[in-house]
Amino acid sequence: MRLLRDHPVVPGERWVYSAGFNVGPALTDTGRIDTELDDLRGLAAAGARVALLSHQGSAKDGTARHLDYLAGYLGRRLGREVRYLPACSSRQAQSWAAELRDGEIALFGNVRLEAGEERGDRELAAALARLGDRVAVGGFSKAHRRHASNVGILDFLPGYAASSLLGETELLRPWAAGGGTAGSVAVLGGVKAEKTVVGLESLTRAYDVVIPGGVVLNTLLAVSGHAIGDSELGTEAERCAAVARTVLGRRHRARVHLPRTVLITGPEGATRTVDVEEGVPDGWAIVDFDLERWAVDAVREAGRVLVAGTPGRHAEGNHRAAAAVLGAREPGDPHTLLLGGDTVAELAWTGPRSTGGGSALHYLADGTCAVIEALENNRKNGVGDHAA
């Protein structure tokens, strides 16, 4: 790959910087912003003209919104004004980009408000490429997505890996395997299908113990024949169920923790603890669970613990499983790693953290991800060699 840190930037160079802030107005956790600041400072200090792109939310579920609230935070952290320009693919956006001054950074409109972003639309990618002459790609949190602003744009401009992208891969590389003789534990939670399809499938091959929570746990319990009531199964329930069956039927795999008791919530917010063997009644849903003593001991003694997603519905006050896991580790332990924006924002942890959730799981499983492959192909195919 071409690396941004190796490129001698000269005044007047026009750059698109593809980030992945994806944080709401409350700015609960700014890690995905802060990881890009050094490169942005360097570009501005060298006199580059930077059109900054980012995403937040999704057009698919209507959660995407304008990013004006980010400009002030960026300006304060960078020590310079960052204007917000509320479009990214229109002719107006191209005019704004053409008018940027040497050393100026401007944040353009949320790419997720563009209908073609998440399907990697080629015309949208071409329009985004018109904002500059080179593109620096950061935003590790969406490095596994083949979207227009981080993969599609590399068909049109010479691409450079930002320091944030390199830093994340360097952080994750040692976590691709288990923890040696001391053993390793992976905790999976949340609602996204990739936690099962990628995380459960791959981590049960590499780690000694896997503790599933959230949709992963619900799926495993369901395919094991337990009644789960109205517990959430996510958007790709059948696909996840097929993976879960395959994993449980595999002879050589991690020991998978299935709890004996779970916390459920029902009508009018009532909660109670039930035995898994008794089943979850209709109208009730699993929101948390109790770790078996052997699993707590495994976490405490492990040489490496990976936490990918909150195991219970943590934001709703369900902290049993998460407290048991993190309580078994020393605060700030360098051998305990948290993955993903929601996980990092919700769990009180001072140790190592990655901004990637799904992207980190893909990297741990495959040793690469969509953006890395696209950057490698970009250089191999000589895209924009006249500019580079």
Side-chain angles (χ1 to χ4, degrees):
M1 297 181 291
R2 299 183 182 104
L3 306 182
L4 177 58
R5 67 189 182 197
D6 293 340
H7 178 78
V9 178
V10 298
E13 283 187 356
R14 300 176 65 244
W15 283 83
V16 178
Y17 194 107
S18 178
F21 300 150
N22 197 21
V23 59
L27 297 175
T28 305
D29 183 83
T30 60
R32 290 177 174 177
I33 306 173
D34 300 340
T35 192
E36 312 291 357
L37 295 177
D38 285 345
D39 275 342
L40 290 171
R41 285 193 192 98
L43 286 168
R49 306 176 182 193
V50 183
L52 179 57
L53 296 177
S54 185
H55 75 288
Q56 181 275 327
S58 173
K60 295 177 181 178
D61 58 16
T63 58
R65 57 174 296 155
H66 286 288
L67 302 179
D68 50 310
Y69 59 91
L70 287 178
Y73 178 81
L74 285 163
R76 290 191 298 274
R77 292 303 311 274
L78 292 169
R80 63 178 66 234
E81 180 187 9
V82 175
R83 289 189 293 150
Y84 177 65
L85 305 172
C88 62
S89 66
S90 64
R91 290 186 178 180
Q92 178 66 73
Q94 293 163 29
S95 296
W96 287 331
E99 294 167 1
L100 292 176
R101 302 180 301 275
D102 289 6
E104 184 178 7
I105 298 173
L107 175 63
F108 284 68
N110 184 356
V111 293
R112 289 277 175 90
L113 291 171
E114 301 288 335
E117 163 67 358
E118 293 178 80
R119 66 171 185 268
D121 182 78
R122 186 170 176 80
E123 289 187 9
L124 174 59
L128 297 175
R130 296 187 190 106
L131 300 179
D133 299 319
R134 294 174 171 82
V135 57
V137 183
F140 182 74
S141 63
K142 65 169 185 174
H144 58 313
R145 308 293 191 194
R146 297 186 182 278
H147 291 174
S149 67
N150 64 332
V151 169
I153 196 171
L154 290 168
D155 287 339
F156 301 96
L157 295 177
Y160 299 76
S163 298
S164 62
L165 191 67
L166 300 177
E168 290 284 354
T169 58
E170 290 166 2
L171 169 68
L172 290 169
R173 197 169 294 122
W175 294 80
T181 56
S184 55
V185 176
V187 180
L188 290 167
V191 299
K192 293 183 178 178
E194 60 205 13
K195 297 297 179 64
T196 302
V197 174
V198 178
L200 183 68
E201 203 288 328
S202 63
L203 294 177
T204 50
R205 295 180 186 273
Y207 278 61
D208 298 308
V209 173
V210 170
I211 301 174
V215 166
V216 189
L217 174 60
N218 298 343
T219 302
L220 285 164
L221 290 176
V223 302
S224 299
H226 298 290
I228 62 168
D230 292 349
S231 302
E232 189 171 4
L233 290 174
T235 58
E236 299 182 46
E238 292 185 7
R239 182 184 180 200
C240 290
V243 171
R245 291 189 191 95
T246 298
V247 168
L248 291 177
R250 189 186 299 148
R251 291 185 60 190
H252 302 290
R253 60 164 171 80
R255 184 178 183 183
V256 177
H257 173 270
L258 295 180
R260 284 183 292 179
T261 55
V262 294
L263 179 68
I264 60 175
T265 185
E268 299 182 1
T271 61
R272 60 189 176 98
T273 300
V274 299
D275 193 300
V276 166
E277 293 296 332
E278 296 176 5
V280 178
D282 291 342
W284 293 72
I286 299 170
V287 294
D288 209 343
F289 60 94
D290 297 303
L291 263 70
E292 299 298 304
R293 174 50 54 187
W294 70 263
V296 176
D297 291 342
V299 173
R300 181 178 296 110
E301 298 165 5
R304 185 168 290 148
V305 174
L306 183 75
V307 181
T310 53
R313 290 190 186 175
H314 201 272
E316 299 170 17
N318 303 296
H319 303 164
R320 287 187 188 182
V325 169
L326 295 183
R329 306 296 288 180
E330 291 294 325
D333 172 43
H335 304 295
T336 302
L337 175 67
L338 270 60
L339 305 182
D342 292 339
T343 310
V344 167
E346 293 177 12
L347 300 183
W349 184 248
T350 58
R353 306 185 298 176
S354 169
T355 62
S359 55
L361 289 176
H362 277 266
Y363 186 80
L364 291 173
D366 304 324
T368 188
C369 49
V371 161
I372 293 174
E373 293 173 349
L375 282 164
E376 291 171 343
N377 289 332
N378 178 274
R379 180 165 191 170
K380 181 175 67 175
N381 297 333
V383 177
D385 276 346
H386 63 286

